[in-house]
Coordinates of all heavy atoms in Angstrom, one line a residue:
H107 N 0.8 -1.2 0.0 CA 0.0 0.0 0.0 C 0.8 1.3 0.0 O 0.3 2.4 -0.1 CB -0.9 0.0 1.3 CG -1.7 -1.2 1.4 ND1 -2.8 -1.4 0.5 CD2 -1.7 -2.2 2.2 CE1 -3.4 -2.6 0.8 NE2 -2.8 -3.1 1.9
G108 N 2.1 1.1 0.0 CA 2.9 2.3 0.2 C 3.8 2.7 -1.0 O 3.2 3.0 -2.0
D109 N 5.1 2.7 -0.8 CA 6.0 3.3 -1.7 C 5.8 2.8 -3.2 O 6.0 3.7 -4.1 CB 7.4 2.9 -1.2 CG 8.4 4.0 -1.7 OD1 8.0 5.1 -1.9 OD2 9.6 3.6 -1.8
D110 N 5.6 1.6 -3.4 CA 5.5 1.1 -4.8 C 4.4 1.7 -5.6 O 4.5 1.7 -6.9 CB 5.3 -0.5 -4.8 CG 6.7 -1.2 -4.8 OD1 7.7 -0.5 -4.5 OD2 6.7 -2.4 -4.9
E111 N 3.5 2.3 -5.0 CA 2.4 2.9 -5.8 C 2.9 4.1 -6.6 O 2.3 4.5 -7.5 CB 1.3 3.4 -4.8 CG 0.5 2.2 -4.2 CD -0.6 2.7 -3.3 OE1 -0.8 3.9 -3.2 OE2 -1.3 1.8 -2.7
A112 N 4.0 4.7 -6.1 CA 4.6 5.9 -6.8 C 5.6 5.5 -7.8 O 6.2 6.3 -8.5 CB 5.2 6.8 -5.7
A113 N 5.8 4.2 -8.0 CA 6.8 3.7 -9.0 C 6.5 4.1 -10.4 O 5.3 4.0 -10.8 CB 7.0 2.2 -8.9
P114 N 7.5 4.6 -11.2 CA 7.2 5.0 -12.6 C 7.2 3.9 -13.5 O 7.0 4.1 -14.7 CB 8.3 6.1 -12.8 CG 9.4 5.6 -12.0 CD 8.8 5.0 -10.7
Y115 N 7.6 2.7 -13.0 CA 7.6 1.5 -13.9 C 6.7 0.4 -13.3 O 6.5 0.4 -12.1 CB 9.0 1.0 -14.0 CG 10.0 2.0 -14.4 CD1 10.9 2.6 -13.5 CD2 10.1 2.4 -15.7 CE1 11.8 3.6 -13.8 CE2 11.0 3.4 -16.1 CZ 11.9 4.0 -15.1 OH 12.7 5.0 -15.5
R116 N 6.2 -0.5 -14.1 CA 5.3 -1.5 -13.7 C 5.8 -2.9 -13.6 O 5.1 -3.9 -13.3 CB 4.1 -1.5 -14.7 CG 3.2 -0.3 -14.6 CD 2.5 -0.2 -13.2 NE 1.9 1.1 -13.0 CZ 2.4 2.1 -12.3 NH1 3.6 1.9 -11.7 NH2 1.7 3.2 -12.1
G117 N 7.1 -3.0 -13.7 CA 7.7 -4.3 -13.5 C 7.2 -5.3 -14.6 O 7.0 -5.0 -15.7
L118 N 7.0 -6.5 -14.1 CA 6.5 -7.6 -15.1 C 5.0 -7.4 -15.4 O 4.5 -8.0 -16.3 CB 6.7 -9.0 -14.4 CG 8.1 -9.4 -14.4 CD1 8.2 -10.8 -13.6 CD2 8.7 -9.6 -15.7
S119 N 4.3 -6.6 -14.6 CA 2.9 -6.4 -14.8 C 2.7 -5.5 -16.0 O 3.6 -4.6 -16.4 CB 2.2 -5.7 -13.6 OG 2.4 -6.5 -12.5
R120 N 1.6 -5.6 -16.8 CA 1.3 -4.8 -17.9 C 1.0 -3.4 -17.4 O 0.5 -3.2 -16.3 CB 0.2 -5.4 -18.7 CG -1.1 -5.4 -18.0 CD -2.2 -6.1 -18.7 NE -3.4 -6.2 -17.8 CZ -4.2 -7.2 -17.7 NH1 -3.9 -8.4 -18.3 NH2 -5.2 -7.2 -16.9
Y121 N 1.1 -2.4 -18.3 CA 0.6 -1.0 -18.0 C -0.9 -1.0 -18.2 O -1.4 -1.6 -19.2 CB 1.3 0.0 -18.9 CG 2.8 0.2 -18.6 CD1 3.8 -0.7 -18.7 CD2 3.1 1.5 -18.0 CE1 5.1 -0.4 -18.4 CE2 4.4 1.7 -17.6 CZ 5.4 0.8 -17.8 OH 6.7 1.0 -17.5
G122 N -1.6 -0.4 -17.3 CA -3.1 -0.4 -17.4 C -3.6 0.9 -18.1 O -2.8 1.8 -18.5
T123 N -4.9 1.0 -18.1 CA -5.5 2.2 -18.8 C -5.2 3.4 -18.0 O -5.4 4.5 -18.6 CB -7.0 2.0 -18.9 OG1 -7.6 1.6 -17.7 CG2 -7.3 0.8 -19.9
G124 N -4.9 3.4 -16.7 CA -4.6 4.5 -16.0 C -3.1 4.9 -16.0 O -2.7 5.8 -15.3
D125 N -2.3 4.2 -16.8 CA -0.9 4.4 -16.8 C -0.4 5.1 -18.1 O 0.8 5.1 -18.4 CB -0.1 3.1 -16.7 CG -0.3 2.4 -15.4 OD1 -0.5 3.1 -14.4 OD2 -0.4 1.1 -15.3
Q126 N -1.3 5.7 -18.8 CA -0.9 6.4 -20.0 C 0.2 7.4 -19.9 O 1.0 7.7 -20.8 CB -2.0 7.0 -20.8 CG -2.8 8.0 -20.1 CD -4.0 7.5 -19.3 OE1 -3.9 6.4 -18.8 NE2 -5.1 8.2 -19.3
H127 N 0.2 8.1 -18.7 CA 1.3 9.1 -18.4 C 2.6 8.5 -18.3 O 3.6 9.2 -18.3 CB 0.9 9.9 -17.2 CG 0.9 9.1 -15.9 ND1 -0.1 8.1 -15.7 CD2 1.6 9.2 -14.8 CE1 0.2 7.5 -14.5 NE2 1.2 8.2 -14.0
L128 N 2.7 7.2 -18.1 CA 4.0 6.5 -17.9 C 4.4 5.7 -19.2 O 5.5 5.0 -19.2 CB 4.0 5.6 -16.7 CG 3.7 6.3 -15.4 CD1 3.6 5.2 -14.3 CD2 4.8 7.3 -15.0
F129 N 3.5 5.6 -20.2 CA 3.7 4.7 -21.3 C 4.4 5.5 -22.5 O 3.7 6.4 -23.0 CB 2.4 4.1 -21.7 CG 2.5 3.1 -22.8 CD1 3.0 1.8 -22.5 CD2 2.0 3.4 -24.1 CE1 3.1 0.9 -23.5 CE2 2.1 2.4 -25.1 CZ 2.7 1.2 -24.8
F130 N 5.6 5.1 -22.8 CA 6.3 5.8 -23.9 C 6.9 4.8 -24.9 O 7.2 3.7 -24.5 CB 7.4 6.7 -23.3 CG 6.9 7.8 -22.5 CD1 6.8 7.7 -21.1 CD2 6.5 9.0 -23.0 CE1 6.3 8.7 -20.3 CE2 6.1 10.1 -22.3 CZ 5.9 9.9 -20.9
G131 N 7.2 5.3 -26.1 CA 8.0 4.5 -27.0 C 7.2 3.8 -28.1 O 7.8 3.3 -29.1
R132 N 5.8 3.8 -28.0 CA 5.0 3.1 -29.0 C 4.0 4.0 -29.7 O 3.1 3.6 -30.2 CB 4.3 1.9 -28.3 CG 5.1 0.7 -27.9 CD 5.6 0.0 -29.2 NE 6.2 -1.3 -28.9 CZ 6.8 -2.0 -29.8 NH1 7.0 -1.5 -31.0 NH2 7.3 -3.2 -29.5
Q133 N 4.3 5.3 -29.6 CA 3.3 6.3 -30.2 C 3.0 6.0 -31.7 O 1.8 6.1 -32.1 CB 3.7 7.7 -30.0 CG 2.6 8.7 -30.2 CD 1.4 8.5 -29.4 OE1 1.4 8.0 -28.3 NE2 0.2 8.9 -30.0
P134 N 4.0 5.7 -32.5 CA 3.6 5.5 -33.9 C 2.7 4.3 -34.1 O 1.8 4.4 -34.9 CB 5.0 5.2 -34.6 CG 6.0 5.9 -33.7 CD 5.4 5.8 -32.3
E135 N 2.9 3.2 -33.3 CA 2.0 2.1 -33.4 C 0.6 2.4 -32.9 O -0.4 1.9 -33.5 CB 2.6 0.9 -32.6 CG 3.8 0.2 -33.3 CD 5.1 0.9 -32.9 OE1 5.1 2.0 -32.2 OE2 6.2 0.4 -33.2
V136 N 0.6 3.2 -31.9 CA -0.7 3.6 -31.3 C -1.5 4.4 -32.3 O -2.7 4.1 -32.6 CB -0.5 4.4 -30.0 CG1 -1.8 5.1 -29.6 CG2 0.0 3.6 -28.9
E137 N -0.9 5.3 -33.0 CA -1.6 6.2 -34.0 C -2.0 5.3 -35.2 O -3.1 5.5 -35.8 CB -0.7 7.3 -34.4 CG -0.5 8.3 -33.2 CD 0.5 9.4 -33.6 OE1 1.1 9.4 -34.7 OE2 0.8 10.3 -32.8
R138 N -1.2 4.4 -35.6 CA -1.5 3.6 -36.8 C -2.7 2.7 -36.5 O -3.5 2.5 -37.3 CB -0.2 2.8 -37.2 CG -0.5 2.0 -38.5 CD 0.8 1.4 -39.0 NE 0.5 0.6 -40.2 CZ 1.4 -0.1 -40.9 NH1 2.6 -0.2 -40.4 NH2 1.0 -0.9 -41.9
L139 N -2.7 2.1 -35.3 CA -3.8 1.2 -34.9 C -5.1 2.0 -34.8 O -6.1 1.5 -35.3 CB -3.5 0.5 -33.6 CG -2.5 -0.7 -33.6 CD1 -2.2 -1.1 -32.2 CD2 -3.1 -1.8 -34.4
A140 N -5.0 3.2 -34.3 CA -6.2 4.0 -34.2 C -6.8 4.3 -35.6 O -8.0 4.3 -35.8 CB -5.9 5.3 -33.5
R141 N -5.9 4.6 -36.6 CA -6.4 4.8 -37.9 C -6.9 3.5 -38.6 O -7.9 3.6 -39.3 CB -5.2 5.3 -38.8 CG -4.8 6.7 -38.5 CD -3.9 7.3 -39.6 NE -2.7 6.5 -39.8 CZ -1.5 6.7 -39.2 NH1 -1.4 7.7 -38.3 NH2 -0.5 5.9 -39.4
M142 N -6.3 2.4 -38.3 CA -6.8 1.1 -38.8 C -8.2 0.8 -38.3 O -9.0 0.3 -39.1 CB -5.8 0.0 -38.6 CG -4.5 0.2 -39.3 SD -3.2 -1.1 -38.7 CE -3.9 -2.5 -39.6
I143 N -8.4 1.0 -37.0 CA -9.7 0.7 -36.4 C -10.8 1.6 -37.0 O -11.9 1.2 -37.2 CB -9.7 0.9 -34.9 CG1 -8.8 -0.3 -34.3 CG2 -11.0 0.8 -34.3 CD1 -8.6 -0.2 -32.9
A144 N -10.4 2.9 -37.4 CA -11.4 3.8 -38.0 C -11.7 3.3 -39.4 O -12.9 3.6 -39.8 CB -10.8 5.2 -38.0

């Protein structure tokens, strides 16, 4: 319940929908997928 909640990395766990502020490096894929779904 303490310190790890402030961690900027998620370890082996996946990043969740509330972690977009910590998710970097895949923006081109994100934008391409959004266009494909449209």
Side-chain angles (χ1 to χ4, degrees):
H107 305 291
D109 206 27
D110 272 9
E111 293 181 0
Y115 308 102
R116 290 295 171 258
L118 290 174
S119 302
R120 65 187 175 223
Y121 285 72
T123 53
D125 294 325
Q126 60 266 34
H127 64 295
L128 301 175
F129 185 73
F130 294 95
R132 285 293 191 191
Q133 192 57 31
E135 288 86 351
V136 167
E137 292 174 357
R138 185 171 176 186
L139 282 173
R141 290 196 299 270
M142 291 174 74
I143 290 175

